[in-house]
């Protein structure tokens, strides 16, 4: 029988619950009236509505949102009741109020303990904190305005923030309800250092705000409140005692007064026991709460401040949250993109297919990795490394965690490395042929020069001059190729860069259909550069600008200074002199901008593809940097950064006179044509010449000359030779015999390290191949003077 009764009762209760109508309560964080906890909402209002729903047969549901957002939800019929809420005429236009107030609260003005405000007039021009959307705070502001007390108001999301701001001194006063203040003061481990300003009390009756579509709830709630107040043991009074304690203490004081004699000893004993127990328990709870808050704060700060751009998407791929790095990287605020599809915001038609593929992979529960290009809010493109990780709960994918790492700079540096590698590969080829080619040019130029001096026929002399000019052009081509070589060290001198630019403009732009303007900033420092190489860079850039405008146009050339504050992987910190050449041509396509510095890449039918590659190599060997900026149809700007020098420009001394005294000269070179033209150049001079084909022969002749008492006044040593030790090693051995010997290094690698610092290798001078008779005589005179 009992089993049947229980079964019937269970079925009746289940049917009643299944048929219960829903009641949606809109609540916000307002302790102790409402607490928004992770497990379930609680507080005085929650307990009252829960009891009302149980009595009236409603299925209670909670709608949680900030106070000012609940009104919008009520208008959209997503909320039936908002509680607690104060009455005003504006709100009554879109909601109904019940007649019976839930409770009566009042608000006060709080100030810091050190403040001495006694009257409302003392708050004039002070900063006051209020809760956003608080009706009574608006009435308080109007009251102050009527009294002629202007104040500056700061809005906060809750009373806790108002109390904290007053205690920290960020604002002068705050407006807060007594229940909230009582709860905040009681929940803090120590006093926050605030007090209530005397006489600042504002009466606040609070009601239920009801959706007009649920008008019958008005009468039901009023009837419930009237009946519940009469029931001293009912849930309404119990909730009031639980959360506010007023009736609790009143009733217990009466009881204790009547039974004080026998209750007092028992109470004292119980108090002692519970005091000890509560002390231990509170310590444990406080430690647990502190640890939870610490971990919560730690992970929130980690998410917000980690130097990775992070976005959290829900299961519909809409943005839930982003961190500070994501905002800084993409330029969107959380308010702009929350609830929107991320793919539509940072992609274009070119990247959509890849974005959808990554999303599908994450949706299947797999972590996806990819290098991608994404678009900022301002339209700028960024190279990113993306990690899309599924958020899995109980085996179901509930969202996606996207992590973006900006690799734009890394990509740029990789492209710079590729350019350098391409140029280095050309350098291997250039360095391999330069020496032999210059040896042959030495013989060609030397013999042509000698022949031109011997021929009297003007026509023959003209033919020889044209041949000499062609050979010199071939020599210039070799020097350009040597720019790529690892051994192509610049021979530097201190100059003013604008002087080189002016000369180049006169040579390249004059006589063309292109106009140019040079702008030079004041106070420019000097540069220490290889003049020949840097002039070649300037020529190449100006020629490139001129050829970009075949129908004519304008070239803007500017020389300025730049200070690099920190290393960025491309330029070390320091002062730089900057050359910028901007043309008005059609611009460079984006796909070609990273290839224009690659050797032999050209878009011109007659171009060699070496001009910009040579410029890149020269600037790089000067510890500088060159870049291009261009948009199609907007022209192109090439910018060169060269390290500034603190040295002063020194005028070049005139060449020394050719020596007329007799002297003995020794040449070591493995090329027979070089030895022959060397001897021929000095045939009719006061110099005696001996020749050696390798290091062993040179050592033997040097020793023999010393033994005869007629040592060499000057020796010329070729730096390289097949299967030989080379000029540097030979000089080391010779200096063991004669530490004061004067030596000149010669080489087809005219831009070698010895050419830059011959003294470092114990040479007195350097002579580059190919050379002519006047250059040889000048070198001899310079080292014998």
């Amino acid at each position: 029988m009992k089993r049947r009764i229980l079964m019937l009762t269970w079925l009746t209760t289940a049917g009643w619950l299944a048929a219960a109508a829903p009641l949606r309560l809109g609540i916000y964080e307002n302790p102790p009236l409402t607490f928004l906890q992770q497990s379930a909402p609680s507080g005085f209002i929650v307990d009252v509505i829960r009891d009302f729903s149980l009595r009236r047969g409603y299925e209670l549901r909670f709608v949680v949102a900030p106070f000012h957002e609940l009104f919008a939800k009520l208008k959209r019929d997503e909320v039936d009741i908002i509680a607690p809420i104060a009455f005003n005429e504006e709100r009554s236009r879109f909601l109904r109020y019940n007649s019976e107030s839930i409770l009566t609260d009042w608000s006060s003005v709080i100030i810091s303990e050190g403040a001495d405000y006694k009257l409302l007039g003392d708050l004039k021009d002070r900063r006051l904190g209020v809760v956003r959307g608080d009706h009574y705070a608006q009435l308080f502001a109007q009251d102050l305005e009527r009294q002629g007390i202007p104040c500056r108001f700061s809005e906060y999301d809750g009373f806790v923030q108002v109390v904290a701001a007053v205690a920290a001194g960020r604002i002068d006063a705050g407006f807060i309800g007594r229940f909230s203040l009582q709860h905040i003061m009681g929940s803090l481990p120590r006093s926050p250092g605030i007090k209530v300003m005397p006489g600042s009390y504002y009466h606040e009756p609070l009601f239920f705000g009801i959706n007009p579509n649920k008008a019958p709830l008005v009468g039901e709630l009023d009837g419930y409140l009237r009946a519940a107040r009469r029931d001293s043991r009912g849930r309404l009074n119990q909730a009031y005692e639980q959360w506010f304690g007023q009736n609790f203490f009143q009733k217990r004081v009466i009881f204790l007064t009547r039974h004080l004699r026998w209750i007092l000893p028992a109470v004292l004993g119980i108090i002692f026991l519970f005091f000890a127990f509560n002390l231990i328990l509170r310590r444990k709870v406080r430690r647990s709460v502190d640890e939870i808050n610490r971990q919560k704060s730690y992970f929130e700060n980690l998410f917000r401040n980690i130097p990775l751009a992070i976005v959290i998407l829900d299961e519909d791929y809409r943005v839930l949250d982003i961190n500070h790095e994501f905002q800084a990287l993409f330029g969107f605020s959380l308010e702009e993109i929350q609830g929107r599809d991320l793919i539509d915001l940072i992609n274009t038609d070119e990247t959509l297919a890849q974005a959808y593929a990554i999303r599908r992979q994450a949706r299947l529960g797999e972590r996806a990795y990819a290098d991608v290009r994404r678009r900022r809010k301002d339209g700028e493109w960024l190279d990113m490394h993306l990690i899309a990780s599924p958020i899995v709960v109980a085996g179901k994918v509930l969202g996606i965690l996207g992590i973006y790492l900006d690799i734009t700079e890394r990509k740029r540096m990789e492209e710079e490395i590729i350019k350098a590698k391409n140029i280095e590969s050309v350098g291997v080829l250039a360095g391999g042929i330069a020496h032999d080619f210059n040896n042959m040019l030495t013989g060609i130029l030397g013999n042509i020069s000698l022949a031109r001096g011997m021929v009297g026929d003007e026509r023959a002399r003209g033919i020889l001059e044209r041949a000499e000019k062609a050979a010199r052009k071939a020599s210039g081509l070799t020097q350009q190729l040597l720019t790529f070589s690892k051994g192509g060290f610049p021979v530097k001198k201190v100059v003013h860069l604008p002087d080189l630019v002016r000369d180049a403009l006169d040579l390249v732009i004059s006589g063309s259909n292109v106009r140019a303007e040079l702008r030079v900033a004041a106070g420019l420092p000097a540069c220490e550069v290889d003049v020949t190489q840097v002039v070649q860079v300037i020529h190449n850039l100006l020629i490139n600008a001129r050829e970009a405008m075949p129908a004519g146009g304008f070239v803007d050339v500017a020389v300025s200074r730049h200070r690099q504050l920190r290393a960025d992987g491309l330029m070390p910190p320091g002062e730089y002199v900057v050359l910028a050449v901007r043309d008005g041509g059609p611009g460079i396509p984006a796909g070609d901008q990273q290839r224009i510095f690659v050797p032999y890449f050209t878009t011109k039918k007659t171009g060699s593809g070496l001009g910009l590659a040579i410029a890149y190599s020269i600037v790089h060997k000067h510890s500088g940097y060159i870049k291009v900026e261009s948009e199609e149809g907007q022209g192109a700007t090439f910018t060169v950064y060269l390290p500034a020098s603190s040295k002063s420009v020194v005028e070049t001394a005139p060449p020394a006179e050719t020596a007329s005294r007799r002297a003995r000269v020794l040449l070591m070179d493995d090329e027979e044509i070089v030895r022959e033209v060397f001897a021929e150049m000095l045939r009719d001079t006061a110099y005696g010449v001996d020749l050696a084909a390798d290091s062993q022969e040179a050592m033997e002749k040097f020793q023999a000359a010393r033994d005869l008492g007629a040592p060499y006044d000057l020796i010329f040593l070729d730096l390289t030779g097949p299967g030989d030790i080379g000029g540097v090693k030979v000089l080391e051995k010779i200096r063991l015999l004669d530490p004061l010997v004067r030596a000149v290094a010669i080489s087809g690698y005219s831009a070698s390290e010895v050419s830059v610092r011959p003294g470092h290798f114990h040479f007195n001078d350097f002579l580059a191949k190919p050379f002519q008779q006047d250059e040889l005589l000048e070198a001899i005179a310079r080292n014998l003077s």
Side-chain angles (χ1 to χ4, degrees), residues 482 485-492 530 533 621 750-756:
L482 276 172
S485 174
K486 287 185 177 180
F489 295 96
V491 181
K492 297 181 180 180
D530 185 312
Q533 292 186 3
K621 288 179 180 179
S750 59
S752 67
E753 190 174 2
V754 179
S755 69
V756 180

Side-chain angles (χ1 to χ4, degrees), residues 399-434:
I400 297 175
L401 180 70
I403 302 174
Y404 292 86
L405 177 63
D406 186 4
I407 60 171
T408 304
E409 287 301 317
R410 191 191 78 185
K411 286 281 188 182
R412 188 162 64 116
M413 292 183 66
E414 288 176 352
E415 290 167 353
E416 291 292 330
I417 292 172
I418 291 172
K419 286 190 291 188
K421 290 292 184 183
N422 288 331
I423 290 175
E424 183 180 349
S425 66
V426 177
V428 174
L429 173 64
I433 66 174

Side-chain angles (χ1 to χ4, degrees), residues 522-544:
L524 283 178
C527 292
E528 192 171 2
V529 298
D530 185 312
V531 174
T532 303
Q533 292 186 3
V534 171
V535 166
Q536 189 175 354
V537 172
I538 301 170
H539 281 192
N540 288 345
L541 296 182
L542 291 176
I543 292 171
N544 191 73

Side-chain angles (χ1 to χ4, degrees), residues 10-79:
W10 182 85
L11 290 173
T12 303
T13 304
W16 175 76
L17 291 174
L23 179 63
R24 300 167 296 179
L25 174 65
I27 58 174
Y28 57 96
E29 184 72 23
N30 187 16
L33 302 179
T34 51
F35 294 85
L36 303 183
Q37 301 173 340
Q38 292 183 351
S39 56
S42 62
F44 173 73
I45 293 296
V46 174
D47 288 353
V48 172
I49 292 296
R50 187 175 280 128
D51 183 58
F52 167 77
S53 301
L54 186 62
R55 290 176 181 273
R56 299 289 178 172
Y58 289 104
E59 179 189 359
L60 181 60
R61 300 176 185 174
F62 296 102
V63 179
V64 179
F67 178 69
H68 57 280
E69 293 182 10
L70 289 175
F71 296 121
K73 292 182 176 292
L74 184 139
K75 293 176 181 178
R76 295 195 300 265
D77 201 27
E78 298 174 10
V79 171

Side-chain angles (χ1 to χ4, degrees), residues 28 209 287 338 340 414-415 446 448 454 495 511 533 548 566 618 681 730 777 783:
Y28 57 96
R287 289 196 193 100
Q338 192 171 36
R340 299 176 64 183
E414 288 176 352
E415 290 167 353
I448 291 174
M454 299 175 183
V495 297
Q533 292 186 3
R566 56 189 178 88
I618 291 173
M681 286 179 179
V730 172
L777 294 174
N783 288 279

Side-chain angles (χ1 to χ4, degrees), residues 622-727:
H622 280 77
S623 301
Y625 176 62
I626 182 172
K627 67 177 183 179
V628 61
E629 296 172 303
S630 178
E631 294 183 13
E632 289 195 60
Q634 302 296 320
T637 302
F638 287 85
T639 307
V640 176
Y641 297 82
L642 293 172
S645 174
S646 59
K647 299 178 182 179
S648 300
V649 178
V650 179
E651 294 295 333
T652 305
E657 294 292 334
T658 303
S660 59
R661 71 179 179 87
R662 300 185 62 83
R664 297 196 65 199
V665 178
L666 173 65
L667 167 69
M668 182 195 80
D669 196 293
D670 62 294
E671 287 290 340
E672 182 178 2
I673 190 172
V674 175
R675 296 195 302 271
E676 290 176 351
V677 77
F678 187 91
E680 192 64 33
M681 286 179 179
L682 301 182
R683 176 184 296 276
D684 298 326
T685 66
Y687 307 129
V689 180
D690 282 336
L691 305 173
D694 54 34
S695 58
Q696 182 177 355
E697 185 179 0
M699 289 294 300
E700 292 173 353
K701 290 190 175 183
F702 188 85
Q703 182 65 54
R706 286 178 55 82
D707 293 343
L708 293 174
Y712 294 108
D713 298 283
L714 185 65
I715 59 175
F716 288 80
L717 300 176
D718 188 17
L719 294 179
T720 58
D724 203 2
I725 61 176

Side-chain angles (χ1 to χ4, degrees), residues 598-620:
V598 175
Y600 304 116
F601 174 80
T602 181
T603 58
K604 305 171 186 176
K605 294 181 179 180
T606 58
S608 66
L610 285 177
L612 292 177
I614 290 171
Y616 178 92
S617 181
I618 291 173
V619 173
H620 179 71

